[in-house]
Amino acid sequence: MSRIAWIAAATLALAAPATAQEVIGEITATLDGEQRVWQTLAATGEEESYNTGVSDIAGFMWDISIQGYPDGRPGIAGALSITLIGMTGEDTPQEALILYVPEQMSQLYSSPEDGVEAGEIVQIERLELDEEGGFVEGRFAAPLCFKDGFMAPPDPEDCLEIEGHFATDLPLEEAP
């Protein structure tokens, strides 16, 4: 499993607890022919949140996690995750992964992890990063194929098409 897949899984698994949340952006997409909207959230208070944000990986790379929740309610069911890793000073991701979790993390839909360039899945239209966090806007399109378990291979016979747009603030995620 790729590093980006582990990051995406960990981020979704650590979805923010039911603390006060602030809407900081939105993802709109057509998923399998149905128009959908997810809100991106940040915690408002002392508690850490592993929702949407950016972290610096060793000073020369950035890691962006965009977690979308239907109706702005954090939780696994219905969540859409877009995880991007790129080089500082560049706005084209080196790695990109989209995950959709209809019900539970053990059964999800994933964009291709092999054989597809990150820029074919996600195109960043605007990226602003600084020591405080940032903002990202872009578009995405990919087949999302079913995985019966996070470590399972995708089923090419059970795929959903997704195409959409995202725009969100990016709070800075501090390393533990």
Side-chain angles (χ1 to χ4, degrees):
M1 174 180 292
S2 71
R3 186 171 118 221
I4 195 165
W6 281 109
I7 291 169
T11 302
L12 268 174
L14 296 171
T19 60
Q21 301 288 319
E22 174 187 354
V23 175
I24 58 172
E26 187 173 86
I27 304 168
T28 58
T30 302
L31 177 62
D32 207 29
E34 181 182 332
Q35 186 66 30
R36 305 246 186 129
V37 176
W38 294 265
Q39 292 179 320
T40 61
L41 308 172
T44 59
E46 297 295 317
E47 296 208 24
E48 287 290 320
S49 172
Y50 295 94
N51 283 314
T52 295
V54 60
S55 59
D56 183 342
I57 303 173
F60 60 92
M61 297 182 78
W62 45 259
D63 169 9
I64 293 174
S65 176
I66 304 168
Q67 303 300 317
Y69 302 102
D71 303 320
R73 292 188 305 249
I76 296 295
L80 181 69
S81 171
I82 303 171
T83 305
L84 307 168
I85 296 177
M87 302 296 290
T88 299
E90 297 181 12
D91 62 2
T92 301
Q94 302 294 311
E95 296 183 48
L97 182 66
I98 302 170
L99 297 176
Y100 171 63
V101 184
E103 300 285 330
Q104 56 191 352
M105 190 65 178
S106 62
Q107 296 180 319
L108 55 95
Y109 287 83
S110 174
S111 63
E113 292 182 46
D114 298 317
V116 178
E117 294 290 322
E120 294 177 41
I121 295 172
V122 177
Q123 297 81 43
I124 295 175
E125 298 168 340
R126 181 175 156 206
L127 178 63
E128 299 170 6
L129 299 175
D130 60 33
E131 61 278 349
E132 302 289 320
F135 178 86
V136 67
E137 182 174 8
R139 55 190 160 81
F140 58 94
L144 302 179
C145 295
F146 182 75
K147 293 176 76 168
D148 192 13
F150 197 77
M151 299 295 289
D155 179 355
E157 301 298 317
D158 185 1
C159 298
L160 307 172
E161 290 294 325
I162 191 166
E163 182 174 353
H165 179 267
F166 56 86
T168 186
D169 287 333
L170 296 170
L172 183 64
E173 293 182 351
E174 299 293 330

